Amino acid sequence: MYEALDQYTQRLEPELMEEISQMGHLRKYKAGKVLIDFGSYLKDIPLVLSGTIKVVREDSQGRELFLYFLGGGDTCAMSLTCCMNQKKSEIKAVVEEDAEVVMIPLHCMDDWMKFASWREFVFGSYNDRFEEMLNAVDSLAFMKLDERLMSYLLDCKQSAGDFSIRKTHQQIATDLNTSRVVISRLLKKLEQEGQIELHRNMIEVL
């Protein structure tokens, strides 16, 4: 499994990489698989090798709010928090594009704090996810819906490393808490402005 962890070798110490290779469990998940659900207790920490995972939060009325995407080289700070505090998950993580993930047992969290690179990785992940959540809050509070939509499409492009986004208008509407009709209208507007191109079952960011 050591080869599969290649993208982490420049960030983590060789001794730590060896322990991850020994303790981690390599898993492959198809799109649509729920890795973390609301209210569940977590026993493992995900290290994403490839693919895209969407993280959302749920409000009191059961509506989901998109927070951020995870791609190769990422881990979920919210899952780290839940594991360390042994509390129920307040987020949901769903595989957007087929993903490979290394699941790390919870007890390794404390053991690996002796490695400077692991501490830096964990705190860096907290910082990255915190900034992304602040961006999500800012977009709700200050951005118009067309700006939120374009920001969302750019997030999709960056996390997947692909200019082509394979999502339905309804999926995007769900993530942005609006209707499919509104999203379709705004996508057409963005196309007219030359920011995207619409194809059958695909959106291309220009």
Side-chain angles (χ1 to χ4, degrees):
M1 187 177 66
Y2 200 98
E3 294 77 11
L5 292 162
D6 182 62
Q7 60 194 297
Y8 290 92
T9 56
Q10 301 301 316
R11 305 163 67 184
L12 303 176
E13 294 148 277
E15 296 84 357
L16 174 56
M17 290 298 301
E18 187 62 37
E19 291 201 25
I20 292 175
S21 183
Q22 292 177 3
M23 300 300 297
H25 303 284
L26 182 62
R27 298 284 186 264
K28 296 183 179 181
Y29 298 107
K30 293 292 186 181
K33 171 69 175 178
V34 177
L35 292 186
I36 304 170
D37 208 352
F38 302 116
S40 62
Y41 285 101
L42 307 182
K43 298 180 180 179
D44 300 286
I45 303 157
L47 297 182
V48 184
L49 302 181
S50 64
T52 307
I53 296 171
K54 180 177 69 175
V55 179
V56 298
R57 179 157 177 140
E58 190 177 63
D59 69 11
S60 59
Q61 297 179 334
R63 295 174 299 188
E64 293 182 358
L65 172 65
F66 166 75
L67 294 179
Y68 50 79
F69 288 112
L70 299 174
D74 290 333
T75 190
C76 180
M78 296 291 285
S79 67
L80 293 174
T81 300
C82 292
C83 283
M84 293 177 68
N85 294 319
Q86 297 184 2
K87 59 186 292 189
K88 292 182 179 180
S89 173
E90 297 177 347
I91 55 98
K92 181 179 181 180
V94 184
V95 177
E96 281 274 291
E97 298 178 352
D98 293 357
E100 281 190 318
V101 179
V102 174
M103 303 302 287
I104 304 298
L106 173 59
H107 68 83
C108 294
M109 276 290 296
D110 289 334
D111 295 343
W112 291 349
M113 282 298 175
K114 64 187 178 185
F115 294 105
S117 63
W118 179 252
R119 294 195 301 271
E120 184 177 340
F121 174 68
V122 168
F123 293 133
S125 297
Y126 276 122
N127 183 66
D128 291 343
R129 302 293 87 80
F130 182 68
E131 288 186 358
E132 288 169 335
M133 285 189 288
L134 284 181
N135 289 336
V137 172
D138 285 347
S139 69
L140 280 174
F142 306 119
M143 284 186 180
K144 297 178 181 178
L145 186 54
D146 57 344
E147 295 173 327
R148 288 176 56 204
L149 174 58
M150 194 63 213
S151 176
Y152 171 86
L153 294 176
L154 291 173
D155 284 345
C156 290
K157 176 184 74 72
Q158 182 176 354
S159 64
D162 192 343
F163 285 87
S164 300
I165 299 167
R166 292 167 176 81
K167 284 178 175 287
T168 66
H169 294 191
Q170 183 57 59
Q171 288 173 322
I172 297 173
T174 299
D175 284 347
L176 297 181
N177 288 311
T178 187
S179 70
R180 182 190 60 79
V181 173
V182 170
I183 290 299
S184 296
R185 176 173 56 80
L186 291 177
L187 286 171
K188 192 65 179 176
K189 178 174 177 286
L190 290 174
E191 184 178 45
Q192 292 169 350
E193 293 173 352
Q195 299 191 64
I196 64 171
E197 283 187 4
L198 297 175
H199 305 277
R200 184 174 178 82
N201 299 322
M202 187 181 74
I203 302 166
E204 184 178 1
V205 179
L206 302 179

